[in-house]
Amino acid sequence: MQPLSRDNLATSVPLLSPFVNQACFLASRLQRRPSIRIAFVIIALVGAAAVVIGDFVHRAAARRLREAILAELQPVALKNCTLKRFGSANDGGYLMCENLIEPLDAAYSYGVGRNDDWGCEVSRRYHVPVHQYDCFDPARPICNGGTFVFHDECVGGRTGYRGSRFFDTLENQITKNGDISRCLIIKMDIEGAEWDSLLAAPDELLASISQIAMEMHGFDDPKILEMLRKLKRNFYLVNLHFNNWSCTPQAAPLPAWAYQVLWVNKRIGIVDPAAPIPAPMNPLNAPDSPTRPDCQLPTRKLGR
């Protein structure tokens, strides 16, 4: 078959003739006007540069946010805290200041699943009820020798249904249980919902809670920084341990996107001024997965 050319186009394919003629006309104009070609090249280069610069600015801002989060995650050592691991030996275990738990009237366990080793140990040891909240897993854990009060709802930043699941605020849940102004501790592992839940909690309520052991999730949301700074108004950060199920270079300089922390109320904790900041990681911390590589922050050498 003879290829189409400018000479035989009109007779071979009449329907395409107007479009080809117009294209040829534009091409001839571009050939006669090199300035137009240059302009097109400049526009293309400027567009590409804008994309590259925008991506660089976005990456730089995200890096600054992660650095700011890490700057807030600087645990301190308390002179009057004896750390003990409560719950599981690996995933599901949390460090708390054992000698600062009592007096204790009730405990709250947010994010339960099929077992609540933390809640069971706390209930057995201190003979208090543990209020469990989980609207995603209907399984109700049992605890021989302990007292569980299961609530088929979740904690959130506002009250209402999300689909078929009911959410309520931390303040409302504690109030409905008659525990306002009582001695409480909290365990929380709610897959990122902690940010809105704690941001919505009044400072007066948080100031009444003695300890919060929790797992935090995320590294790219400004709410994280806001919540950390809010908690530090009433609490000392006493322990920091990264979950090795979530190790990723994308979170750098954080080694992972999920991390367990212990918050101890400033009204009961006494900072050790002679201890380094950040405080060294306590050996009671254990990998969430014993079979996966661990990822923790590098240990700082004293005197440097």
Side-chain angles (χ1 to χ4, degrees):
M1 177 181 294
Q2 185 181 9
L4 295 179
S5 67
R6 195 174 179 184
D7 295 332
N8 63 18
L9 183 62
T11 58
S12 301
V13 189
L15 291 177
L16 294 179
S17 180
F19 301 102
V20 174
N21 288 338
Q22 186 177 10
C24 293
F25 173 74
L26 291 174
S28 63
R29 286 180 63 87
L30 286 175
Q31 290 175 355
R32 291 195 299 269
R33 296 188 181 182
S35 60
I36 296 178
R37 297 201 307 273
I38 295 173
F40 278 126
V41 171
I42 292 174
I43 292 172
L45 290 175
V46 169
V51 171
V52 172
I53 292 173
D55 182 66
F56 175 80
V57 170
H58 174 76
R59 289 175 180 270
R63 174 78 185 195
R64 287 195 299 272
L65 174 61
R66 298 193 300 271
E67 290 173 346
I69 291 172
L70 179 59
E72 297 294 340
L73 292 172
Q74 303 294 306
V76 299
L78 300 182
K79 292 195 298 183
N80 63 332
C81 170
T82 302
L83 287 170
K84 179 187 183 308
R85 187 178 186 91
F86 287 83
S88 306
N90 298 101
D91 194 4
Y94 298 86
L95 269 60
M96 302 192 75
C97 296
E98 177 185 19
N99 58 315
L100 299 179
I101 290 179
E102 292 183 299
L104 181 65
D105 295 311
Y108 282 69
S109 183
Y110 288 98
V112 178
R114 298 185 177 276
N115 66 76
D116 187 2
D117 293 338
W118 177 89
C120 192
E121 185 171 353
V122 167
S123 184
R124 286 172 175 171
R125 183 182 181 106
Y126 298 103
H127 308 289
V128 297
V130 174
H131 291 277
Q132 300 171 317
Y133 287 83
D134 197 323
C135 64
F136 285 89
D137 194 331
R140 300 191 176 195
I142 59 174
C143 177
N144 295 326
T147 304
F148 282 169
V149 183
F150 186 83
H151 304 262
D152 187 13
E153 63 182 70
C154 287
V155 64
R158 62 184 185 276
T159 303
Y161 281 92
R162 301 179 195 174
S164 61
R165 298 183 174 98
F166 183 72
F167 288 72
D168 207 351
T169 63
L170 184 70
E171 182 179 29
N172 285 347
Q173 290 167 342
I174 292 176
T175 299
K176 285 187 292 187
N177 294 328
D179 285 334
I180 289 292
S181 300
R182 303 187 76 196
C183 298
L184 308 175
I185 58 174
I186 290 177
K187 183 275 292 179
M188 186 176 286
D189 183 0
I190 51 177
E191 307 302 330
E194 63 270 12
W195 311 118
D196 289 336
S197 301
L198 292 175
L199 282 173
D203 278 349
E204 297 76 14
L205 174 66
L206 295 176
S208 68
I209 299 167
S210 61
Q211 297 186 59
I212 303 177
M214 63 185 299
E215 182 167 274
M216 296 181 166
H217 307 82
F219 58 85
D220 56 357
D221 191 335
K223 287 181 182 178
I224 300 172
L225 195 59
E226 183 182 358
M227 195 209 72
L228 290 173
R229 290 171 175 169
K230 175 178 180 173
L231 286 175
K232 291 175 80 171
R233 291 200 292 265
N234 289 296
F235 296 90
Y236 294 119
L237 176 62
V238 177
N239 187 58
L240 172 65
H241 176 261
F242 288 87
N243 187 329
N244 67 331
W245 282 108
S246 67
C247 302
T248 174
Q250 295 180 355
L254 302 169
W257 57 262
Y259 31 101
Q260 293 109 23
V261 294
L262 171 62
W263 300 98
V264 177
N265 200 298
K266 290 182 176 180
R267 62 181 165 78
I268 61 174
I270 302 173
V271 174
D272 183 354
I277 300 177
M281 189 173 70
N282 192 282
L284 292 174
N285 287 295
D288 289 75
S289 170
T291 61
R292 294 173 66 91
D294 204 3
C295 57
Q296 302 300 323
L297 291 170
T299 303
R300 296 185 182 181
K301 294 182 179 181
L302 298 178
R304 291 191 178 184

